[in-house]
Amino acid sequence: MSKQYRITLLPGDGIGPEIMAVTVAVLKQVGSQLNVGFEFQEALIGGAAIDATGNPLPDETLEICRNSDAVLLAAIGGYKWDNLPRHQRPETGLLGLRAGLGLFANLRPAQILPQLIDASSLKREVVEDVDMMVVRELTGGIYFGQPKGIFETETGEKRGVNTMVYSESEIDRIGRVAFETAQKRGGKLCSVDKANVLDVSQLWRDRMIQLSSEYPDVELSHLYVDNAAMQLIRAPKQFDTIVTGNLFGDILSDAAAMLTGSIGMLPSASLGSTGPGVYEPVHGSAPDIAGQDKANPMAQVLSAAMMLRYGLNEPEAAYRLEQAVLKVLDAGYRTGDIMSDGMKQVGCQEMGQALMQALG
Ligand code: NAD
């Protein structure tokens, strides 16, 4: 093997192990085709980790993740653990993983696949050819700024407070990820803020303009967040890469994702400045269909493609996985979540076999 990568696998809960098994099989196949080696190490997270150790993110898991080139996560959570105290909940494991690896950038692509265009709630001519990436700042902004809390005033009235705050260095590091992402895509970056009202957004905009001189091959534009929300629904094709803060990104990335209409198809990546990124589907652990061979493995496979493209710099392998997904959709294979008239409904395992065949 010319290259060898250490990949941590976190199958987690619910449908996680089913979709992870498919993904590992396709990764092995594409690796052997391109002479790229993967050394997989599985670790516990979420409910599975709680059952085994009492802790949703055992120290050993974080250590294994830190020592790898990339982390492939499926999903965590389920009814069984819903009533545990917060620090013992599966979600706490996920937040701990993000914090422990310093993942400040969240990348969420929204691409309309021609085969699934009717799953979108918008008109075909509006969403056709949509292919965008939302880069969201994940560890700063109003979700973390101080002061925060509910305070009692002198009159006894309560006041809820959150603080939207970004420092230059926080803006610059997410800006760099966004410019570099745009370079790997269509070369257009739209920064979304509320600079007409918010000082923190004015600083955001100033820094983005400053940074753009380092990336002459990327065309930078700006939109206020209210206009960005309208443009996403009115004319989403205009976007290539979007960069925005934590709060605006939380909302806009979900809106962008829903242009595609199919949760079982959506991957994501979370990146830090050094160390491994975490690549995971946008969907959860789908406990309602877990263990029934009904899950759509494609968001997980596309997350592996993101890992190859953005984490390991193996664009050819990423391209092959993406093409395999398109081929099986062209051939009419559908899991229940994306099923439509005249298509062939298959389970998770059969979809995996179809993907392997499409890879050749
Ligand atoms: P969900 O995404 O798990 O499921 C929503 C619906 O979509 C369900 O009907 C499910 O069957 C379906 N679905 C999701 N992924 C699918 C796939 N790959 N193939 C076919 N159908 C799919 O969201 P939820 O039901 O709100 O949450 C379930 C559990 O997942 C909860 O415990 C929640 O906390 C957890 N969760 C985890 C993550 C994560 O790991 N990042 C994200 C969201 C929710």
Side-chain angles (χ1 to χ4, degrees), residues 1 10 13 23 33 42 113 118 120-121 143 153 180 203 251-252 302 350:
M1 291 289 170
L10 304 176
D13 308 317
T23 305
Q33 288 171 348
E42 202 169 303
L113 304 178
D118 294 325
S120 175
S121 50
Y143 292 177
T153 63
E180 282 160 27
L203 182 66
I251 299 162
L252 293 182
L302 292 171
E350 199 176 341

Side-chain angles (χ1 to χ4, degrees), residues 6 51 61-62 85 120 125 136 141 170 172 315:
R6 274 173 304 173
D51 288 350
T61 294
L62 196 52
S120 175
E125 58 268 30
R136 166 189 171 195
E170 282 175 310
D172 287 4

Side-chain angles (χ1 to χ4, degrees), residues 111-128 130 232-233 236 255-262:
Q111 187 185 9
I112 296 281
L113 304 178
Q115 300 87 341
L116 299 179
I117 199 159
D118 294 325
S120 175
S121 50
L122 297 189
K123 287 187 204 136
R124 172 178 282 265
E125 58 268 30
V126 174
V127 289
E128 210 159 31
V130 161
L232 264 182
I233 310 301
M258 271 306 109
L259 296 171
T260 71
S262 41

